[in-house]
C-alpha cells in the first residue's frame, strides 16, 4: 500500500562518492523513507568534464562531452528500486553561465544525465535553479531542449523561496527587505519560456526564516513536487528532540495538503552537530523522519469545504444548466448534503412567516417553492411554518419530470393535503391562487448564471402585490487570480471554446492577486422593473384563498419576454490594485445572496464565515483568459464583464486591461485620464505622484456568446 505522505532522504554528498547499489537504496527504504534522492553522476565524471574543458583553449569553442560511463554514474538500472529514486543533476553545472563554454558544457551534461536517469526508469530529476537573475532565457532554453530530447522525464527545478534576507516582517528579526518575489519571478520566466510544460515543476527549499505571507501563498499556487527541508533548520524541544518552529509547522501543514514529497537533507551532519554540542541527544538520524511523519498524523482536520471538494481540487467542471437539462437524482442528493444552505433557507422562511403572521381569516399563507427539485425547500417551509405557528399551503413547482414523480411520492408519504405538486415550467405556471411567499434556489456559482433572474421574472406575475420572494437579492463578485495549473490544463486542450468558457472549480493551487474582492452587479426580487412595467393583457383569472385585495388577480401565461430581457443586461468595469507582481490567468467569481432580512448566503472567502459558515453547495467560478498577463508590483488590473442576452440565451463576455503606476518627477501627478490618470492609492499619491501607464490587455472573450451561453 502506498504511504499517505512521501518522505525522502538526500544523503550528504560525501557519502556518495561511490556508486549506490540496490542494497544501499533498499536499506534507506527499510529505514522508513519512501525515496532517496541521488546524484546521477559522481566526481569521476566531474573530473573528466573539467579535463576536457581545460584542454580546449579557444573561448569560442564549446567542447564535446560524451555521456557518462561506468564508474561515472552512481547507480545502474534496476526496476525494483527505480520508483524509490529521485535523480539529482550535477550541482556544479551552470546552465545560465555568462561564459558560453560553461553554459554549453552544462547543457550537454543536463541532457546526458536526464537521458541516463530515464534509461534507469526514473521519473524525476532535480536540476539546480538558475544562479543569477540575468541569463534566465539561456537557462530556460537548456531545460526546454532537454525536455524535448528526453521525452519521459520530469524536471524539478530546485529553488529557494526567496532571496536570503527576505524574511517575514512580522517575525522577530526585521532585516531590510530585498526583493521578496525575485525568485518566483525567475521561475515564472523559466516556465513561460518552456511554454508551461507539464513536465516542469518546482522543488522548494524551506528557508530557516520564512518570507512574507504573500511569497508563501504565491508558491502555493505553483506546481511543487518536492519540499526540501534541511535538518539544520530544526530546533530542539525541551526533551532534546528535533522539532520545527510553529511557523514552519504551519507552512508544512499547508503544503502537506497538496502532497509534495518532503526530502530531508543534512540529516547526518545535523545529528553529529547536536551530539558533539552536547545537546540532549535523545535522537538519532531517524528523529527527523519520525517528526515529519508525526506532523502528518496531526494535520489539522480538513474544513467542511475541503472534505466536500476532495478529489475535485482545481478540476474544471462545466456549470450546471438546470433550466436546459433535467438533473439526476444523484446531483440533487449532493445539494441536499449541505446542511448550512437549508438551515439558512428555513431561517429565512421562518423570518418571513413570523413577520407576516397568520391570515386573519384563518386561511393558510400560500408558499410556492419554484424549482422544487426533490423537495428539500418544501420540507424547510413546512418546518418553518410549524415553528412560526403560521399555517401554510405549499406549491412545489418543478419542470423536471423525474423530480416531479419523486415529489408526488413524497406528497403521498409525507406531506399529504397541504402541499400541491405542479409539473410545469415556472414561467408558464398559472396557479389557482396567488402566492404570498415565493421560495427558489436557482443560484449558480456566479449568482445569476443558472438564469435565476429570467426564471423568477417569468413567475413574478403570480406573486401578490405585497408578496415576498426568497431570495430577495443576489450579487456577483470577482477578483483577478493566478493559477498556472488551471491555465495549463485549459491550454493543453488547445480548443478555442475552452478558453472562452467559465468553469466551476474547487480552487486550490490559486493565488488571488488583488487585496479586495469586488461586486460586479446585483439582481433584486421581486424585480422592480417588472413591477413598474407589468403591462401584460388580462387572460387568466385566479382565486386568492386569503380573500384580500389580490383575490381576483389577472395573470398571463406568456413569459415576460414580451417586454424583453434587456433589464437583465449588466456591465461593470472594476479596478483592482495589485501590490505584488504576478501573472493573471483569469478571475474568480463568487456570489452573495440576501435570502430574507439578515439571513444571507455567501461564497466569498472573506464573508462566508460570517454569513454562511461551512456552506459547501457552490464552488467558485473561474473565468479564464487566453493569454496570461504579467503584472508588475504596484500595478492595476481592470476587468470588464458583461451579462448579455438575446432572448434565446444569456452569456458573459469579459476582457482585462493592465496598468502600471510609474512615479513622475516634479510636483503634482499626471491627471490626464483615459490614457493616464493619478494613482488610486492615496498614500502613494501623497508621497510621490504617479502616472498610470497602460501595460497590456486581453482580447474580448466569448463575444456574442459564440463559445458558451445559458439557454433560456
Ligand atoms: C439548483 S436546483 C434546486 C432544487 C431544490 N430546490 C434544492 O434545493 O435541492 C434548481 C431546480 O429548479 C428546477 N428549475 C429550473 N428552472 C425551472 C423552471 N423554469 N421551471 C421549473 N423548474 C425549474 C430545476 O429542474 C431544478 O430542479
Amino acid at each position: 500500500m502506498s504511504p499517505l505522505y512521501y518522505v525522502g532522504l538526500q544523503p550528504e554528498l560525501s557519502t556518495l562518492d561511490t556508486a549506490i547499489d540496490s542494497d544501499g537504496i533498499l536499506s534507506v527504504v527499510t529505514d522508513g523513507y519512501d525515496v532517496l534522492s541521488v546524484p546521477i553522476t559522481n566526481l569521476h565524471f566531474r573530473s573528466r568534464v573539467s579535463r576536457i574543458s581545460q584542454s580546449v583553449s579557444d573561448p569560442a569553442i564549446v567542447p564535446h562531452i560524451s555521456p557518462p560511463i561506468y564508474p561515472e554514474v552512481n547507480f545502474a538500472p534496476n526496476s525494483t528500486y527505480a520508483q524509490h529514486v529521485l535523480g539529482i543533476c550535477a550541482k556544479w553545472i551552470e546552465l545560465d553561465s555568462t561564459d558560453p563554454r560553461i553554459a554549453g558544457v552544462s547543457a550537454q551534461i543536463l541532457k546526458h544525465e536526464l537521458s541516463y536517469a530515464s534509461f534507469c526508469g526514473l521519473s524525476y530529476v532535480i536540476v539546480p535553479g538558475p544562479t543569477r537573475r540575468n541569463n534566465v532565457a539561456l537557462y530556460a532554453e537548456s531545460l526546454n531542449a532537454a525536455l524535448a530530447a528526453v521525452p519521459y522525464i520530469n524536471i524539478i527545478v530546485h529553488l529557494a523561496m526567496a532571496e536570503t534576507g527576505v524574511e517575514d516582517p512580522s517575525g522577530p528579526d526585521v532585516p531590510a527587505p530585498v526583493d521578496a518575489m525575485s525568485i518566483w519571478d525567475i521561475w515564472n520566466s523559466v516556465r513561460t519560456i518552456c511554454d508551461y510544460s507539464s513536465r516542469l515543476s518546482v522543488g522548494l527549499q524551506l528557508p530557516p526564516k520564512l518570507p512574507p505571507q504573500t511569497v508563501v501563498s504565491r508558491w502555493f499556487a505553483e506546481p511543487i513536487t518536492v519540499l526540501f527541508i534541511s535538518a539544520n533548520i530544526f530546533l530542539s524541544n525541551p526533551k532534546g528532540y528535533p522539532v520545527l518552529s510553529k511557523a514552519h509547522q504551519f507552512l508544512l501543514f499547508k503544503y502537506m495538503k497538496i502532497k509534495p514529497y518532503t526530502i530531508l537533507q543534512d540529516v547526518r551532519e545535523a545529528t553529529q552537530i547536536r551530539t558533539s554540542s552536547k545537546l540532549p541527544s535523545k535522537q538519532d538520524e531517524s528523529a527527523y523522519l519520525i517528526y515529519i511523519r508525526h506532523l502528518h498524523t496531526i494535520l489539522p482536520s480538513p474544513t467542511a469545504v475541503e472534505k466536500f471538494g476532495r478529489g475535485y481540487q482545481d478540476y474544471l467542471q462545466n456549470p450546471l444548466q438546470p433550466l436546459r437539462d433535467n438533473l439526476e437524482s444523484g446531483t440533487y442528493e449532493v445539494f441536499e448534503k449541505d446542511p448550512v444552505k437549508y438551515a439558512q433557507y428555513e431561517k429565512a422562511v421562518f423570518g418571513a412567516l413570523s413577520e407576516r403572521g397568520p391570515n386573519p381569516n384563518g386561511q393558510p399563507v400560500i408558499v410556492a417553492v419554484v424549482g422544487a427539485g426533490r423537495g428539500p425547500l418544501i420540507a424547510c417551509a413546512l418546518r418553518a411554518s410549524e415553528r412560526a405557528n403560521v399555517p401554510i399551503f405549499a406549491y412545489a413547482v418543478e419542470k423536471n419530470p423525474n423530480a416531479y414523480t419523486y415529489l408526488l411520492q413524497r406528497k403521498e408519504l409525507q406531506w399529504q393535503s397541504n402541499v400541491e405538486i405542479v409539473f410545469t415550467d415556472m414561467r408558464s405556471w398559472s396557479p389557482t391562487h396567488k402566492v404570498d411567499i415565493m421560495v427558489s434556489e436557482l443560484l449558480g456559482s456566479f449568482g445569476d448564471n443558472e438564469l435565476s433572474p429570467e426564471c423568477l421574472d417569468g413567475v413574478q406575475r403570480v406573486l401578490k402585490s405585497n408578496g415576498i420572494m426568497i431570495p430577495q437579492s443576489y450579487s456577483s463578485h470577482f477578483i483577478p487570480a493566478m493559477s498556472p495549473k488551471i491555465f495549463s490544463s485549459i491550454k493543453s486542450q488547445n480548443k478555442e471554446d475552452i478558453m472562452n468558457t467559465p468553469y466551476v472549480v474547487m480552487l486550490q493551487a490559486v493565488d488571488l492577486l488583488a487585496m479586495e474582492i469586488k461586486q460586479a452587479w446585483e439582481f433584486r426580487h421581486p424585480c422592480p422593473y417588472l413591477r413598474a412595467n407589468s403591462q401584460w393583457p388580462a387572460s387568466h383569472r385566479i382565486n386568492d384563498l386569503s380573500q384580500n385585495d389580490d383575490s381576483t388577480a389577472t395573470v398571463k401565461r406568456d413569459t415576460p419576454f414580451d417586454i424583453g430581457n434587456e433589464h437583465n443586461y449588466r456591465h461593470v468595469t472594476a479596478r483592482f490594485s495589485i501590490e505584488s507582481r504576478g501573472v493573471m490567468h483569469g478571475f474568480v467569481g463568487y456570489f452573495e445572496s440576501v435570502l430574507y432580512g439578515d439571513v444571507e448566503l455567501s461564497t466569498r472567502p472573506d464573508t462566508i464565515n460570517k454569513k454562511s459558515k461551512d456552506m459547501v453547495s457552490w464552488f467558485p467560478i473561474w473565468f479564464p483568459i487566453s493569454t496570461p498577463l504579467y503584472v508588475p508590483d504596484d500595478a492595476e488590473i481592470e476587468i470588464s464583464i458583461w451579462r448579455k442576452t438575446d432572448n434565446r440565451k444569456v452569456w458573459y463576455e469579459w476582457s482585462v486591461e493592465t496598468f502600471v503606476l510609474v512615479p513622475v518627477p516634479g510636483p503634482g501627478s499626471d491627471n490626464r485620464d483615459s490614457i493616464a490618470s493619478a494613482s488610486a492609492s492615496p498614500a502613494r499619491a501623497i508621497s510621490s505622484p504617479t502616472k498610470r501607464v497602460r501595460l497590456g490587455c486581453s482580447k474580448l472573450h466569448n463575444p456574442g456568446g459564440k463559445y458558451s451561453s445559458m439557454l433560456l
Side-chain angles (χ1 to χ4, degrees), residues 323 332 341-342 371-373 376-377 398-399 424-426 441-442:
L323 177 58
Y332 289 113
K341 177 178 101 178
Y342 296 106
L377 293 180
E398 178 52 60
K399 58 92 200 169
T424 183
D425 186 314
M426 66 180 82
E441 193 286 87
L442 304 163

Side-chain angles (χ1 to χ4, degrees), residues 320-327 331-336 341-342 345 369-378 397-401 403 407 422-429 439-444 450-452 454-456 459 617-618:
L320 289 177
Q321 291 213 35
L323 177 58
R324 185 193 64 184
D325 306 324
N326 288 322
L327 305 180
T331 311
Y332 289 113
E333 213 170 309
V334 174
F335 298 152
E336 291 162 20
K341 177 178 101 178
Y342 296 106
Y345 264 93
V369 174
V370 289
R374 304 199 314 176
L377 293 180
I378 291 285
V397 180
E398 178 52 60
K399 58 92 200 169
N400 176 348
L407 288 168
V422 185
F423 175 49
T424 183
D425 186 314
M426 66 180 82
R427 293 170 296 176
S428 42
W429 179 37
V439 186
S440 68
E441 193 286 87
L442 304 163
L443 299 170
E450 289 183 10
L451 303 178
S452 181
E454 284 75 13
C455 289
L456 294 181
V459 72
S617 287
W618 291 273

Side-chain angles (χ1 to χ4, degrees), residues 376-555:
L377 293 180
I378 291 285
C380 286
L382 293 173
R383 281 194 301 269
S385 145
E386 208 166 303
R387 280 175 46 220
N389 205 13
V390 177
I392 62 167
F393 177 83
Y395 286 111
V397 180
E398 178 52 60
K399 58 92 200 169
N400 176 348
N402 307 310
Y404 168 68
T405 300
Y406 187 87
L407 288 168
L408 287 176
Q409 289 173 46
R410 265 190 105 170
K411 173 180 160 73
E412 184 156 319
L413 297 174
Q414 288 175 269
W415 301 327
Q416 279 115 31
S417 60
N418 53 353
V419 178
E420 183 178 328
I421 314 295
V422 185
F423 175 49
T424 183
D425 186 314
M426 66 180 82
R427 293 170 296 176
S428 42
W429 179 37
S430 297
T432 44
H433 303 98
K434 274 195 141 188
V435 171
D436 294 298
I437 300 176
M438 187 176 289
V439 186
S440 68
E441 193 286 87
L442 304 163
L443 299 170
S445 295
F446 202 43
D448 54 76
N449 64 298
E450 289 183 10
L451 303 178
S452 181
E454 284 75 13
C455 289
L456 294 181
D457 284 357
V459 72
Q460 180 171 315
R461 67 203 148 71
V462 309
L463 187 75
K464 286 182 188 165
S465 56
N466 63 347
I468 294 168
M469 288 177 95
I470 295 175
Q472 294 181 298
S473 68
Y474 36 87
S475 47
S476 312
H477 303 252
F478 61 153
I479 183 166
M482 184 188 114
S483 179
K485 187 172 173 188
I486 294 180
F487 175 72
S488 306
S489 79
I490 289 178
K491 182 175 175 291
S492 66
Q493 299 180 57
N494 198 20
K495 287 194 189 134
E496 200 52 27
D497 54 342
I498 296 177
M499 285 289 182
N500 286 276
T501 303
Y503 293 94
V504 168
V505 55
M506 156 78 182
L507 300 175
Q508 187 180 63
V510 170
D511 195 19
L512 302 181
L513 292 172
M515 305 302 287
E516 205 192 341
I517 300 170
K518 296 205 166 171
Q519 177 171 323
W521 51 64
E522 185 192 41
F523 288 89
R524 285 187 288 142
H525 296 289
C527 169
Y529 173 78
L530 292 187
R531 279 247 146 123
N533 295 279
S534 49
Q535 326 112 328
W536 298 306
S539 69
H540 188 73
R541 281 187 177 275
I542 52 175
N543 302 317
D544 184 350
L545 286 178
S546 62
Q547 301 295 307
N548 67 14
D549 61 338
D550 282 313
S551 60
T552 50
T554 301
V555 295

